[in-house]
Amino acid sequence: MSDPIPFKAPAGRRKIAIVLFNLGGPDRLESLKPFLFNLFNDPAIMRVPGPVRYLLAKLISGRRAKVAAEIYEKMGGGSPLLPNTVAQARALEEALWDEGEVRCFIAMRYWHPMSDEAVAEVKAWNPDEVVLLPLYPQFSTTTTASSVRVWHEAAAKVGLVKPTKLICCYPTEPGFITANARLVREALVEAGKHGTPRVLFSAHGLPEKVVKDGDPYQWQCERTAEALVKELAIPDLDWVSTYQSRVGPLKWIGPSTDDEVHRAGRDRVPLVVVPIAFVSEHSETLVEIGDEYRHLALENGVPHFTAVPTVSVSPEFIQGLANLVRQVRAAGGDAKVCNAFGTRLCPAQFSGCPHAKATGRQALAAE
């Protein structure tokens, strides 16, 4: 992931390291157990005391490995997430050629290359500044906040001290929305041949407790869905914002995508499922949506089913990311948080928002 872009920037230009955060995925079946252990041992995911979390992570990863192996076998034995992210990194480097000597690094959260590896590469390259860019459009304490935390821990361990800025979220960024809308329109053309389609804007779910504790993720996912509906500008569009991938005994946010597939079967309407919280293909898009929900739809009498691809390296999306980088760099100083608008996006009740934490620190400093 450390190869430079295929052109040489003029000498004397600022060196800008862009760190792309993503979930990560096992590259082979043997990686499944350690990947799952890393996932469930994350205190942002399993919110119990450390010793208990370690034991539960061991137990769950062992039990889920067999089921997960069947999923990854459908994808050739490993996750396509890393090569997809590499392609996005290269496209972003090219889009930012005029900003300076730009180089993208990848920091996966649960499988390699992880933050300690990316930090070492960034330090060796010795940039003038660092921009942290999560490939999670909607902010969550379980994704972006977790990735930022381990990045700063890894940076502190090796003494990487550079001006660092964070793009915390971009749920309604125009390029992200435009790219998704184009893909949805293409799917609606085919689905419309089978009746009036219903669109499910599907995002990875969270336990209700996480949201009640102040996580803004669900609120931001709903803003993404609304922005997409506005961009599509289809009169009386039948659409629902849904959530997938539920695991464990806790109550999760809803409505669930599988429940909505059942309802579409009862209503005999064609379905178009849009992965609004994922920007590259992996098990939740290729297998859960593309295979499992497709079969569920067929079994329940849905007349037509389309899984919309992720935005991946869509030019509109990549340009949108480039615009975010330009914006946060233009903000000046050692900015710690920002979003697509440069101001706080989430309402005040969402204490998990990094702007809320920044505001709280500022208030304490003023006292």
Side-chain angles (χ1 to χ4, degrees):
M1 184 43 234
S2 58
D3 296 338
I5 52 179
F7 53 84
K8 187 173 179 60
R13 304 177 78 191
R14 285 183 68 80
K15 296 174 70 175
I16 306 159
I18 300 174
V19 181
L20 301 179
F21 290 143
N22 213 329
L23 177 75
D27 49 2
R28 57 191 187 280
L29 295 179
E30 291 78 9
S31 306
L32 271 170
K33 277 190 180 180
F35 165 77
L36 290 169
F37 173 79
N38 291 339
L39 172 66
F40 290 107
N41 196 42
D42 181 358
I45 301 296
M46 192 76 72
R47 302 185 178 194
V48 296
V52 177
R53 183 175 64 252
Y54 178 89
L55 292 174
L56 285 174
K58 280 287 189 183
L59 177 65
I60 296 170
S61 59
R63 286 182 174 179
R64 288 184 60 85
K66 184 177 180 180
V67 174
E70 295 174 0
I71 293 171
Y72 283 95
E73 282 171 353
K74 294 178 180 179
M75 298 186 294
S79 171
L81 188 59
L82 180 57
N84 287 348
T85 308
V86 169
Q88 290 169 321
R90 295 296 168 252
L92 184 57
E93 287 171 341
E94 293 182 10
L96 289 167
W97 68 271
D98 58 331
E99 283 289 295
E101 190 177 351
V102 177
R103 190 158 158 191
C104 289
F105 300 82
I106 292 176
M108 297 295 194
R109 183 62 185 89
Y110 303 118
W111 200 243
H112 307 285
M114 293 191 279
S115 282
D116 54 349
E117 299 164 72
V119 161
E121 288 192 349
V122 170
K123 185 179 181 183
W125 193 56
N126 193 30
D128 296 300
E129 57 187 285
V130 178
V131 175
L132 305 179
L133 175 53
L135 292 176
Y136 311 114
Q138 302 86 9
F139 179 89
S140 175
T141 56
T142 62
T143 53
T144 300
S146 179
S147 291
V148 171
R149 174 180 60 80
V150 296
W151 171 266
H152 286 307
E153 289 172 354
K157 283 181 182 178
V158 301
L160 174 63
V161 182
K162 296 291 179 180
T164 300
K165 300 179 180 182
L166 167 67
I167 297 166
C168 74
C169 59
Y170 44 96
T172 57
E173 196 286 318
F176 171 60
I177 296 300
T178 301
N180 268 301
R182 175 175 53 79
L183 295 167
V184 173
R185 286 191 191 99
E186 293 170 1
L188 285 172
V189 170
E190 183 60 31
K193 299 174 183 177
H194 304 270
T196 302
R198 178 173 298 159
V199 181
L200 305 184
F201 297 110
S202 186
H204 197 292
L206 282 179
E208 249 185 23
K209 182 180 185 302
V210 174
V211 173
K212 288 180 178 178
D213 286 344
D215 193 297
Y217 173 77
Q218 182 177 17
W219 184 86
Q220 290 200 7
C221 286
E222 290 169 358
R223 301 295 80 75
T224 300
E226 290 172 357
L228 261 168
V229 171
K230 183 177 180 180
E231 178 69 18
L232 289 166
I234 298 172
D236 301 318
L237 179 68
D238 183 1
W239 66 276
V240 188
S241 184
T242 68
Y243 300 90
Q244 63 184 85
S245 310
R246 180 184 179 278
V247 294
L250 295 177
K251 184 178 180 181
W252 278 41
I253 57 176
S256 68
T257 306
D258 52 350
D259 283 349
E260 285 298 319
V261 173
H262 282 283
R263 185 168 75 93
R266 293 193 297 271
D267 295 343
R268 292 296 186 266
V269 295
L271 274 183
V272 172
V273 182
V274 191
I276 60 169
F278 309 110
V279 300
S280 47
E281 306 294 353
H282 57 306
S283 62
E284 279 85 354
T285 61
L286 296 175
V287 178
E288 188 173 15
I289 295 177
D291 183 30
E292 294 173 4
Y293 289 151
R294 184 184 303 278
H295 280 94
L296 184 64
L298 179 65
E299 291 170 355
N300 283 272
V302 173
H304 178 81
F305 181 95
T306 298
V308 175
T310 59
V311 291
S312 187
V313 291
S314 298
E316 309 98 321
F317 174 59
I318 296 300
Q319 191 56 58
L321 294 182
N323 290 341
L324 288 169
V325 172
R326 296 180 201 281
Q327 179 181 325
V328 73
R329 293 194 65 233
D334 190 12
K336 296 300 182 185
V337 290
C338 82
N339 58 47
F341 306 100
T343 58
R344 176 166 177 163
L345 175 66
C346 303
Q349 70 263 30
F350 294 111
S351 58
C353 169
H355 279 279
K357 291 177 173 58
T359 302
R361 287 194 296 270
Q362 291 164 3
L364 287 172
E367 291 178 354

